[in-house]
Amino acid sequence: MANAGSSRNRLMPWYIGMAIILMSVLYVGYRMASNGCPAPTIVEFGVLVIIPVVYLALMYLTLKSQD
């Protein structure tokens, strides 16, 4: 009954997760650039772009579908 008046943003965990992932991607990207990472460009692109985007999209869809 006490929760009836309060509205909670369902996407707040997504915003927090997005901020954490962005900070992690920036850190890993910086470390890859500063240390001259020998990984191929496609692997770097996958680690820094594809995996975080897929994770955020799935997390968004999960949180958006909740009642």
Side-chain angles (χ1 to χ4, degrees):
M1 198 61 122
N3 290 338
S6 67
S7 64
R8 188 180 129 232
N9 187 355
R10 290 184 294 175
L11 292 179
M12 184 57 68
W14 188 74
Y15 297 134
I16 294 169
M18 186 170 48
I20 292 169
I21 288 173
L22 179 63
M23 288 186 293
S24 300
V25 164
L26 290 174
Y27 177 74
V28 170
Y30 168 74
R31 296 290 293 177
M32 284 179 152
S34 66
N35 290 336
C37 182
T41 305
I42 191 73
V43 174
E44 290 178 354
F45 183 72
V47 168
L48 296 176
V49 177
I50 302 298
I51 293 172
V53 167
V54 169
Y55 177 75
L56 285 171
L58 292 174
M59 191 167 73
Y60 175 81
L61 292 172
T62 301
L63 292 170
K64 196 67 173 170
S65 69
Q66 291 179 350
D67 290 337

